[in-house]
Amino acid sequence: MFRNLRQQLSTLLIMSMMAIGCHAEVIQKITVEGNKRVPQSTIVAFSELSPGLDVHQSDFNNAIKRLYKKRLFSHVAITMQHGNVIIEVTEYPIIRKVEIKKNKLIPEDGINEFLKKSHLESGDVLDPAKLHTFKYSLQREYQINGYPEVTIAESVKKVDEGLVDVEITVMKGKQYQIRKLNINGNLAFTNRVLFKQMTLGRPSLFARIFGGNYYSSAAFERSKAELTNFYIENGFLKFTIENVAVNYSENGQFVDIVVTIDEGPRFMYNSLVIKGDQQAKSVIVPEVQNIQRRLEQSQKLPFSRKDIFQMTKSLTKAFGTMHYPLKTIDPMVIPNEASATVDVTLVVQRGTPIKIRTITFSGNTLSMDKILRRELAISEGEMFSQAALDESVRRLSNLSYIKNIKPTITPVPGSPREVDITIALEDAPEATANLEMGFNSTDYVVLTTSLKHPNFGGTGNNIDFRIEKARTRTTVSILGDIPFVLDNGLSLGYRAYYSNKQNANDNTKVSKYTWQQSYASERIGFNLSATAPISIYQNIAMTGEINKVNYSYDPNDTSLPDSIRDSIQRFGNNIWNFVTTMRWTRNTLDRAVLPTSGNREELSLKFGVPMNESFTSYGIIDSKIALFKKLGTWPITLNPTVRVGAGQGFSGFSNITGCLTGQINDDSCNTELPFNEKFYSSPTSPVRGVMTFGEKVNGKAIGGDLITTASMNVFLKPFNDDQVIPSLFVDGGYIYNDQDFNFNSWVYSTGLQFRIMTPIAPVLLVFSYPLKIDDDSSAFGADKFNYAQFSMQANLY
């Protein structure tokens, strides 16, 4: 009986104690201890505890978790006595500086970027977890670059109360270079092709002499993944790496690697279909049609995942152009292992049509909204199209006074079928009143004063007034253009100018290379132009100009070519001309400055008609093509360019029609192009370094009526924040008279060019080397060649 009574009393006592432990208490007061830097009010707010709150032990546990999540404290404890809550904290110290020792692999900029991403810069809180992440990233980078035994040591030194210095020391250990790499089992691709796919390939002679191609397990795992991905991309869906043997040399400096693979069968396309609604099935995409057509002809086509990616990309663009509300394109690839074929179905899911509610601009403090809106390929109230938005960004990027364009698409709250588009951008520097000082190889010093405004009043109107003075010439001009005069995009341009060019002394460098400087001229003129778009990328321009020219020459200069002397003697004074030019341009460049993709094509027709019947009329056709293509993921852009131009003179205005309609053998149709309208070169164009480009008389270039040139420019990665743009080049071409084309006459040069954007001026440095130039055996004499060219256009603000 007593035993049962004792048991009941014990149970009652335990239950009472549990009830007391679970009973909620009311917080009367909160104090914080141990904080040096973080205010007490901030810590209390982080804990989410407050006086008057009923709390259990679980509330304290949650408060501790919340404080730890702030990554500010190394220790947190909460106790409660008689309604008084005490929060004890130990703060992480503040970093005064971080020093990396014995690091010779990663540049200082790269280390600083690592520290910034890890939040370990000066002034940051020292969080051990972030320090560990940084050490791991640093170790991984060294391992990938051939230091498998690298260790990273840390030292935290207390400088002051709550302030520390962090010292990280890199101990690289041994570095192993790949001596041999063999791949066994490959039949579809050669070792040379496979080595190119792998980060760690067969060691080159350069690597053996100067170092490189180092082994690490991390880097080699990446190489195996690259090899596997390459095979699968090319249709070997069953590809496997069966065995890898890594053998270290006795001296511990080299490794020999043997990789054994099983390629498996190469899968071929069996079918390719688009599944979706009728509109989706009817879309025309060349990549899809080409494969479907060849499959219908029973051709065997290797499957490639790159094909799928490109087809999906092209379909997305095509649907965007036709305002098809696309939701997703889901490629379904079903392999048949028995026949080693795949059936590909591109499942197109139609999305909900989305309408553009508003389009707003931000950041344009100078440019008017309406000026920016006229460049857009989209407008409010239309159905949204990603293709049209991309085209709008491209058009804005080609405005010289706009930069850093970033569109944002935001769904309208409560209206899932509408979006708002915000286009953030920046106004580029606008009006400049400059005193410009230039230097080049022909004029020496050129002084210019100018007032330029590419976006006058925020209207997009361009105005440029300048006065230029060189040793032998003076020019005054004002030009500008007014875009979008009409809603269809028609723009107007104007130019008025006066120039006076004096005879160059034959002993000066100015007249050393060309007869273009051997006569004096005074010219005044005015022109108007109209430009209208004919498609998204194309426009056509018409220009009409009236000018008056007066020519003269030094009668004591007996070496002057007869064509120049006779023409000036006959028509030296008061020559009034009417010149009309038609120019077609197609521009798909991704941006105006330093493009990496797209092309620019230009074709111009120019006719000059004198006001007096006896003077020579002329016609000129000139074409230029420039392509830009980024080389894969490399920071290299290829830029091939080609130019072909030809001109013809006519003895008087009335003969033009007859010559153009078939009387080409008539003497009046074989008149030489006026000497001042001939094609000429400059020291930096089109064949860099050749100072007497084309046909010559008495050692000086006389220009010509036919120019053919080609150039391959390889733009390398800019450095110093894109201020220095290096490029390699190979130039070739020639200027002919009487349109006597002969490819064997072409001259060539190669070299290196730097375009340097300095605070004062854009500077052009050209270092060229002649591959083939005219020598003494040429019918026109030897060329003069300069190995270095320097050009500067300074802006002294």
Side-chain angles (χ1 to χ4, degrees):
M1 176 179 175
F2 288 104
R3 181 180 298 174
N4 293 336
L5 181 60
R6 284 198 301 270
Q7 289 178 349
Q8 292 175 3
L9 290 173
S10 298
T11 302
L12 182 62
L13 179 62
I14 292 172
M15 293 178 66
S16 299
M17 293 176 65
M18 292 177 62
I20 293 173
C22 294
H23 179 66
E25 292 191 61
V26 177
I27 299 176
Q28 303 295 330
K29 180 182 178 183
I30 301 176
T31 59
V32 178
E33 297 179 355
N35 59 311
K36 305 292 184 182
R37 187 180 66 258
V38 184
Q40 174 173 318
S41 59
T42 301
I43 297 174
V44 173
F46 286 162
S47 71
E48 298 184 13
L49 301 175
S50 60
L53 186 70
D54 290 341
V55 290
H56 298 78
Q57 185 61 45
S58 60
D59 295 317
F60 294 144
N61 294 339
N62 291 332
I64 291 173
K65 291 179 181 179
R66 284 191 287 268
L67 288 170
Y68 271 124
K69 281 184 178 181
K70 298 302 178 180
R71 317 300 300 179
L72 296 172
F73 312 106
S74 60
H75 172 74
V76 179
I78 300 178
T79 58
M80 184 172 182
Q81 297 178 356
H82 308 295
N84 182 27
V85 174
I86 301 173
I87 303 176
E88 298 181 41
V89 297
T90 302
E91 297 173 336
Y92 284 134
I94 295 293
I95 299 171
R96 187 181 74 165
K97 68 176 181 177
V98 178
E99 184 178 3
I100 312 295
K101 291 188 173 182
K102 297 184 179 180
N103 166 54
K104 296 183 179 180
L105 176 66
I106 305 174
E108 183 178 354
D109 291 345
I111 286 290
N112 291 338
E113 187 65 23
F114 269 139
L115 292 171
K116 183 177 180 180
K117 289 181 179 179
S118 301
H119 299 285
L120 293 174
E121 295 181 292
S122 176
D124 286 334
V125 175
L126 177 60
D127 184 343
K130 295 175 182 177
L131 182 58
H132 176 76
T133 301
F134 172 76
K135 287 170 55 182
Y136 175 79
S137 300
L138 191 60
Q139 183 181 41
R140 181 77 173 173
E141 192 69 22
Y142 268 87
Q143 288 175 343
I144 288 176
N145 284 276
Y147 292 95
E149 300 176 3
V150 64
T151 57
I152 311 293
E154 67 178 75
S155 174
V156 180
K157 299 179 181 179
K158 184 177 179 180
V159 178
D160 200 352
E161 186 67 29
L163 199 64
V164 296
D165 289 342
V166 180
E167 186 179 280
I168 297 174
T169 305
V170 179
M171 291 169 283
K172 296 183 291 188
K174 291 183 179 180
Q175 189 177 33
Y176 298 91
Q177 189 178 45
I178 298 177
R179 183 171 60 184
K180 294 180 182 178
L181 174 61
N182 293 323
I183 300 177
N184 298 329
N186 54 307
L187 299 175
F189 304 101
T190 65
N191 282 355
R192 183 182 182 88
V193 172
L194 298 181
F195 292 152
K196 289 183 178 180
Q197 312 308 317
M198 305 173 70
T199 304
L200 295 178
R202 174 168 288 182
S204 63
L205 179 62
F206 180 89
R208 291 176 179 175
I209 297 175
F210 299 102
N213 208 44
Y214 295 108
Y215 172 80
S216 73
S217 57
F220 189 58
E221 287 299 320
R222 186 171 66 181
S223 286
K224 291 194 295 182
E226 290 166 345
L227 183 63
T228 302
N229 186 64
F230 171 74
Y231 266 98
I232 294 177
E233 286 283 356
N234 285 277
F236 293 87
L237 304 183
K238 305 296 291 182
F239 171 83
T240 57
I241 297 177
E242 294 189 327
N243 185 52
V244 175
V246 180
N247 300 311
Y248 292 83
S249 63
E250 295 180 359
N251 59 11
Q253 294 181 356
F254 302 99
V255 295
D256 300 329
I257 303 174
V258 179
V259 180
T260 304
I261 64 175
D262 181 6
E263 293 179 329
R266 189 170 195 175
F267 283 69
M268 302 288 173
Y269 282 101
N270 182 56
S271 64
L272 172 62
V273 296
I274 297 177
K275 184 178 179 181
D277 58 26
Q278 195 61 38
Q279 190 176 7
K281 293 178 182 179
S282 64
V283 69
I284 298 176
V285 176
E287 292 89 342
V288 176
Q289 288 187 324
N290 179 49
I291 293 178
Q292 289 176 332
R293 183 176 63 254
R294 295 174 68 181
L295 288 175
E296 291 173 357
Q297 298 171 355
S298 300
Q299 296 185 29
K300 290 187 176 181
L301 300 177
F303 170 75
S304 171
R305 290 196 309 194
K306 288 183 179 179
D307 291 345
I308 305 300
F309 173 78
Q310 185 58 47
M311 285 187 286
T312 302
K313 183 179 178 181
S314 298
L315 279 168
T316 302
K317 184 177 181 180
F319 287 134
T321 302
M322 58 193 291
H323 294 277
Y324 182 94
L326 179 66
K327 183 179 181 181
T328 60
I329 299 177
D330 185 18
M332 296 179 58
V333 180
I334 303 175
N336 186 330
E337 297 185 11
S339 60
T341 59
V342 294
D343 294 301
V344 179
T345 303
L346 302 175
V347 181
V348 178
Q349 297 186 37
R350 188 182 186 93
T352 303
I354 298 175
K355 189 169 72 171
I356 301 172
R357 186 180 72 166
T358 62
I359 301 174
T360 57
F361 295 93
S362 65
N364 55 314
T365 57
L366 300 174
S367 301
M368 297 180 181
D369 271 21
K370 68 177 183 179
I371 305 306
L372 302 175
R373 287 180 185 276
R374 68 191 184 190
E375 299 290 341
L376 301 181
I378 56 176
S379 60
E380 294 165 338
E382 289 185 350
M383 291 295 122
F384 172 76
S385 166
Q386 185 63 49
L389 179 59
D390 293 341
E391 171 60 20
S392 299
V393 172
R394 189 194 72 84
R395 293 183 186 182
L396 290 170
S397 300
N398 275 273
L399 297 176
S400 61
Y401 48 86
I402 296 297
K403 63 180 182 179
N404 297 336
I405 301 150
K406 297 177 182 178
T408 302
I409 305 168
T410 306
V412 176
S415 181
R417 296 190 178 185
E418 288 186 311
V419 294
D420 293 332
I421 299 176
T422 302
I423 302 178
L425 47 83
E426 296 180 31
D427 287 302
E430 291 199 87
T432 55
N434 303 330
L435 172 63
E436 302 175 354
M437 179 178 64
F439 180 91
N440 58 51
S441 300
T442 55
D443 290 319
Y444 291 125
V445 177
V446 180
L447 296 176
T448 304
T449 180
S450 66
L451 175 62
K452 301 168 61 176
H453 202 311
N455 187 19
F456 184 73
T459 61
N461 298 351
N462 172 56
I463 295 177
D464 186 348
F465 172 77
R466 62 178 51 230
I467 302 174
E468 188 172 82
K469 176 64 178 176
R471 296 182 67 185
T472 61
R473 59 187 173 88
T474 301
T475 302
V476 179
S477 67
I478 181 169
L479 59 90
D481 61 78
I482 307 171
F484 288 87
V485 175
L486 300 179
D487 292 339
N488 64 359
L490 178 73
S491 62
L492 296 179
Y494 57 88
R495 178 173 181 252
Y497 63 91
Y498 167 81
S499 67
N500 188 318
K501 183 173 70 66
Q502 301 298 321
N503 280 344
N505 188 307
D506 205 32
N507 295 322
T508 66
K509 192 173 182 180
V510 176
S511 61
K512 191 175 181 180
Y513 304 113
T514 174
W515 288 110
Q516 195 175 10
Q517 299 290 338
S518 299
Y519 56 86
S521 67
E522 186 177 26
R523 180 188 299 260
I524 186 170
F526 175 79
N527 69 43
L528 287 174
S529 63
T531 304
I534 55 177
S535 72
I536 293 178
Y537 303 112
Q538 302 178 71
N539 63 61
I540 190 168
M542 296 288 295
T543 301
E545 176 178 316
I546 295 178
N547 62 59
K548 177 187 176 184
V549 189
N550 182 7
Y551 296 106
S552 62
Y553 70 98
D554 182 0
N556 297 320
D557 187 358
T558 58
S559 62
L560 192 68
D562 292 339
S563 59
I564 297 178
R565 181 188 301 272
D566 294 344
S567 182
I568 292 178
Q569 285 180 345
R570 186 176 180 186
F571 311 110
N573 297 311
N574 300 325
I575 303 174
W576 285 91
N577 300 288
F578 176 73
V579 181
T580 179
T581 304
M582 180 175 67
R583 179 178 288 106
W584 167 85
T585 305
R586 182 176 182 269
N587 182 1
T588 62
L589 301 180
D590 58 344
R591 56 178 177 261
V593 180
L594 289 179
T596 59
S597 66
N599 55 289
R600 179 181 174 87
E601 299 127 32
E602 183 178 303
L603 176 66
S604 65
L605 298 173
K606 180 179 180 181
F607 287 98
V609 181
M611 299 303 184
N612 55 317
E613 178 66 21
S614 59
F615 188 60
T616 301
S617 305
Y618 63 90
I620 296 174
I621 181 171
D622 199 2
S623 61
K624 303 173 185 177
I625 299 176
L627 310 178
F628 291 84
K629 177 67 177 178
K630 195 172 186 297
L631 195 59
T633 58
W634 291 20
I636 293 175
T637 300
L638 301 181
N639 168 224
T641 65
V642 176
R643 180 186 180 187
V644 178
Q648 177 67 58
F650 308 99
S651 293
F653 175 71
S654 61
N655 293 321
I656 296 179
T657 306
C659 293
L660 294 179
T661 55
Q663 300 175 14
I664 196 63
N665 294 322
D666 191 279
D667 290 340
S668 64
C669 297
N670 297 317
T671 304
E672 188 176 11
L673 193 66
F675 69 92
N676 58 302
E677 294 293 343
K678 288 189 175 184
F679 297 104
Y680 292 92
S681 68
S682 71
T684 57
S685 176
V687 179
R688 280 160 272 199
V690 179
M691 310 300 290
T692 50
F693 185 60
E695 297 185 5
K696 293 165 280 293
V697 171
N698 297 325
K700 300 180 184 179
I702 61 172
D705 56 18
L706 174 64
I707 183 171
T708 57
T709 68
S711 179
M712 171 57 79
N713 301 287
V714 181
F715 290 97
L716 307 178
K717 182 180 180 180
F719 53 92
N720 192 25
D721 291 332
D722 293 346
Q723 296 301 299
V724 181
I725 308 166
S727 62
L728 304 172
F729 65 85
V730 177
D731 295 336
Y734 210 72
I735 294 178
Y736 308 87
N737 270 299
D738 299 326
Q739 300 177 7
D740 188 17
F741 174 77
N742 182 358
F743 186 70
N744 294 329
S745 299
W746 269 36
V747 295
Y748 303 90
S749 70
T750 186
L752 176 65
Q753 175 177 291
F754 292 92
R755 180 180 173 87
I756 306 170
M757 303 299 295
T758 70
I760 298 177
V763 173
L764 192 69
L765 297 177
V766 180
F767 303 95
S768 52
Y769 182 82
L771 297 177
K772 173 184 174 291
I773 60 177
D774 283 346
D775 55 23
D776 290 327
S777 63
S778 169
F780 306 106
D783 273 323
K784 297 182 178 71
F785 192 91
N786 277 1
Y787 291 86
Q789 301 294 323
F790 171 81
S791 178
M792 179 178 72
Q793 186 70 34
N795 297 310
L796 306 177
Y797 297 100

